[in-house]
């Protein structure tokens, strides 16, 4: 599922990847800083969607929240399947991004850290920023 966002040629394209950490202050503040640093467009990817219906609902709400908070439109993407890396790889095959913001819950229960998702995403060759979200905040 994709939303619409106005895209300028001179703006940076940033892919935000989040699941349970989408509404955490750490991610919202990082996205806000990118917006304040200069023109950019955002796409929010909800990977690891075990339930496409729930993921679509999540991405709609998260897009509205992020758009309102940062004052810019945010596209929405729901990955197919339950493999977060596959969803990210598919998104970067379809569109060109200048940076990936990967929001991960902190702590030993983080599945994405256990899967070493940051290193796998970094291998895609797109600048990566890992945003550690406090699990207690979700």
């Amino acid at each position: 599922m994709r939303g619409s966002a106005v895209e300028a040629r001179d703006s940076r394209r940033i892919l935000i990847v989040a699941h349970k950490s989408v509404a955490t202050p750490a991610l919202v503040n990082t996205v806000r800083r990118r917006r304040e640093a200069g023109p950019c467009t955002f796409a929010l990817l909800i990977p690891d969607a075990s339930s496409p219906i729930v993921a679509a609902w999540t991405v709609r709400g998260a897009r509205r929240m992020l758009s309102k908070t940062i004052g810019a439109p945010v596209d929405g993407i729901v990955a197919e399947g339950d493999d977060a890396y596959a969803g990210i790889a598919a998104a970067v095959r379809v569109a060109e991004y200048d940076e990936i913001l990967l929001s991960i819950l902190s702590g030993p229960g983080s599945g994405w850290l256990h899967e070493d998702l940051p290193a796998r995403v970094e291998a895609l060759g797109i600048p990566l920023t890992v945003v550690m979200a406090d699990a207690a905040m979700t």
Side-chain angles (χ1 to χ4, degrees), residues 99-118:
E99 181 182 13
I100 298 174
L101 296 179
L102 179 61
S103 181
I104 298 180
L105 292 175
S106 61
S110 172
W112 288 359
L113 285 178
H114 186 267
E115 297 170 7
D116 201 16
L117 188 59

Side-chain angles (χ1 to χ4, degrees), residues 14-17 22 24-38 40-44 66-67 69-74 101 103 131:
I14 299 173
L15 178 64
I16 303 164
V17 181
V22 73
T24 59
L27 179 60
V28 170
N29 290 335
T30 301
V31 172
R32 184 180 290 130
R33 284 192 303 271
R34 292 303 188 277
R35 172 88 170 126
E36 291 169 353
C40 49
T41 59
F42 299 96
L44 171 64
L66 281 173
S67 292
T69 302
I70 65 170
V74 177
L101 296 179
S103 181
V131 179

Side-chain angles (χ1 to χ4, degrees), residues 61-133:
R63 284 181 55 224
R64 279 192 297 269
M65 183 272 305
L66 281 173
S67 292
K68 183 178 178 179
T69 302
I70 65 170
V74 177
D75 284 345
I77 306 166
V78 174
E80 295 181 20
D82 60 0
D83 181 347
Y85 175 77
I88 296 165
V92 301
R93 278 194 303 274
V94 173
E96 188 174 315
Y97 295 99
D98 300 300
E99 181 182 13
I100 298 174
L101 296 179
L102 179 61
S103 181
I104 298 180
L105 292 175
S106 61
S110 172
W112 288 359
L113 285 178
H114 186 267
E115 297 170 7
D116 201 16
L117 188 59
R120 295 171 66 204
V121 170
E122 194 169 43
L124 293 171
I126 299 168
L128 172 68
T129 299
V130 176
V131 179
M132 295 303 292

